[in-house]
Amino acid sequence: MISIEGLRKQFITNKSTIHAVDDLSLTIKEGEIFGVIGYSGAGKSTFVRLLNRLEEPSGGRIVIDQQEITSLNTKQLRLARQEIGMIFQHFNLLWSRTVRDNITFPLEIAGVPKNERDERVTELIRLVGLTGRETAYPSQLSGGQKQRVGIARALANNPKVLLCDEATSALDPETTNSILDLLVDINEKLGLTIILITHEMHVIRKICNQVAVMENGKIVEQGDVLDIFLRPQQQVTRKFVEQVMGTEDENESIDQLVQSYDQGKIVRLHFIGETTNQALISHLAKKYEVDINILQGKITQTQRGAYGTIFVQMIGEKTELDESVRFVTDDTSVEVEVIRDVN
């Protein structure tokens, strides 16, 4: 669907040349929700603006749905942009226009007849959950409602690709989740390819299938979101994973906690992937003569399933404890490690 080869963007100042995007290559599949994450200055916002040539590339090649965006003239690019919707961190709404008129605007520019415009806008208002707010102005809307207007406007011309540049960064956590749920719904209903730019790993974790990590204009790590959570290779990636899963300081506190227990087995259960048995602990308590105390842990969900770790204390006869650990090891997808055995 999207092929990017050797993409570069340089900004030349009096004193230096800034390589905002530096020899970046990516392939993004049709219908995928693809995340690009990086800290401020990593080049991610420049990258996403290169995709629809709001920024002109210094070099490289971008192909979207078999059309080479980087070779189009001004007229061709204007038409191509109708198939590339974009939403922004600060909404970029027309403050003198109502909700309906904001959504209508790109259809007016495209020359769509009025009856078709009206029908399309009504459909989009329903899709993004703004029924009843059609005549409101942006100043009368909450942040989440403004972003819903921005999403509807971006979808007006039935694009094949939706670019989201820090689309939830200005929103509170609850509103962020509602917007992310809306993007997933749109992806599933319309089969839209979504490229999501963010500096927040929980956003990637919640809705993305694949993720690329940017640093200093380059992609330093890329892969399936669950794989990145499990095996982050770069220091910058590990920092992002810690946003969701906790820090090294928390791991040290777990080590101290484990040492304070003087009976039974202390076991770490590592949950991975969509086949994780969510009822494992209750199942063990019923199947074996063991008491199980949850000491500490954290599990989070990705699009491919659960990922996380729980520390438990298991108390009982040695044979029962050994059998229960063997069951988890052999008969479930949960990885198990005995941290301490004081039987």
Side-chain angles (χ1 to χ4, degrees):
M1 173 61 177
I2 300 176
S3 175
I4 303 161
E5 300 174 4
L7 188 63
R8 294 183 291 110
K9 178 62 180 180
Q10 299 173 352
F11 295 100
I12 300 175
T13 68
N14 291 332
K15 297 182 179 180
S16 64
T17 299
I18 300 171
H19 299 275
V21 175
D22 190 3
D23 195 24
L24 187 152
S25 297
L26 269 181
T27 299
I28 299 172
K29 297 178 182 178
E30 183 176 0
E32 191 168 56
I33 303 181
F34 192 101
V36 178
I37 191 168
Y39 289 111
S40 178
K44 58 189 186 299
S45 289
T46 301
F47 160 67
V48 78
R49 291 170 65 86
L50 291 170
L51 294 181
N52 57 6
R53 282 176 57 187
L54 288 177
E55 292 280 359
E56 284 295 328
S58 303
R61 187 167 177 263
I62 301 168
V63 178
I64 299 179
D65 197 25
Q66 301 182 340
Q67 185 176 46
E68 187 174 346
I69 301 298
T70 37
S71 67
L72 301 180
N73 62 36
T74 302
K75 182 179 179 181
Q76 293 169 331
L77 180 60
R78 190 181 305 116
L79 293 174
R81 281 176 174 159
Q82 293 180 11
E83 297 188 338
I84 308 172
M86 188 166 186
I87 58 177
F88 305 87
Q89 178 180 359
H90 297 296
F91 321 124
N92 287 18
L93 302 181
L94 299 170
W95 295 90
S96 61
R97 284 178 167 245
T98 64
V99 167
R100 175 172 283 277
D101 290 341
N102 264 282
I103 301 170
T104 300
F105 186 61
L107 296 171
E108 292 174 351
I109 294 175
V112 176
K114 185 178 186 306
N115 62 328
E116 292 182 27
R117 293 200 307 261
D118 291 344
E119 183 178 341
R120 177 63 176 158
V121 171
T122 299
E123 176 187 342
L124 288 167
I125 287 172
R126 187 181 307 115
L127 177 66
V128 301
L130 287 174
T131 301
R133 302 295 286 163
E134 294 92 335
T135 60
Y137 288 88
S139 61
Q140 299 171 310
L141 301 177
S142 68
Q145 289 171 332
K146 291 172 188 173
Q147 195 57 283
R148 288 173 185 269
V149 177
I151 292 171
R153 182 185 58 187
L155 297 176
N157 283 309
N158 289 300
K160 297 176 181 177
V161 178
L162 181 62
L163 308 178
C164 306
D165 187 9
E166 298 280 11
T168 61
S169 294
L171 306 176
D172 63 77
E174 183 176 351
T175 306
T176 291
N177 284 332
S178 70
I179 293 298
L180 294 177
D181 289 340
L182 175 60
L183 290 175
V184 171
D185 187 51
I186 289 168
N187 169 258
E188 292 174 349
K189 286 181 178 178
L190 305 182
L192 203 61
T193 303
I194 298 177
I195 301 176
L196 189 69
I197 305 298
T198 185
H199 64 275
E200 299 170 304
M201 195 63 176
H202 73 89
V203 171
I204 299 292
R205 183 268 304 171
K206 185 174 175 64
I207 72 169
C208 293
N209 312 114
Q210 295 279 318
V211 61
V213 182
M214 284 193 71
E215 188 175 33
N216 298 323
K218 295 180 178 291
I219 290 178
V220 297
E221 194 162 352
Q222 178 189 349
D224 180 276
V225 170
L226 184 58
D227 291 338
I228 292 295
F229 267 88
L230 290 173
R231 291 174 286 274
Q233 300 298 310
Q234 302 297 320
Q235 179 62 28
V236 63
T237 311
R238 288 192 286 270
K239 287 182 179 179
F240 280 123
V241 172
E242 285 174 2
Q243 287 183 3
V244 177
M245 298 309 301
T247 65
E248 290 299 322
D249 289 341
E250 289 174 336
N251 292 336
E252 290 176 6
S253 70
I254 289 170
D255 292 339
Q256 295 171 359
L257 176 68
V258 167
Q259 296 302 319
S260 66
Y261 289 85
D262 59 0
Q263 61 176 320
K265 292 182 187 290
I266 308 300
V267 175
R268 176 165 56 195
L269 302 174
H270 195 42
F271 293 77
I272 304 171
E274 59 189 9
T275 58
T276 296
N277 184 353
Q278 299 293 336
L280 175 63
I281 291 176
S282 62
H283 182 75
L284 286 175
K286 292 175 182 177
K287 186 177 178 67
Y288 301 98
E289 292 292 329
V290 295
D291 294 323
I292 301 176
N293 299 319
I294 298 176
L295 305 182
Q296 192 166 332
K298 189 171 187 178
I299 292 179
T300 190
Q301 290 288 332
T302 72
Q303 283 293 298
R304 274 191 46 210
Y307 161 69
T309 299
I310 292 179
F311 291 84
V312 301
Q313 179 190 31
M314 304 174 67
I315 301 172
E317 296 294 330
K318 185 179 187 307
T319 54
E320 289 291 302
L321 293 176
D322 291 344
E323 281 296 319
S324 61
V325 169
R326 190 175 299 111
F327 167 78
V328 178
T329 302
D330 296 342
D331 296 345
T332 78
S333 63
V334 178
E335 294 181 2
V336 59
E337 179 185 0
V338 178
I339 303 298
R340 194 169 181 221
D341 190 343
V342 292
N343 275 308

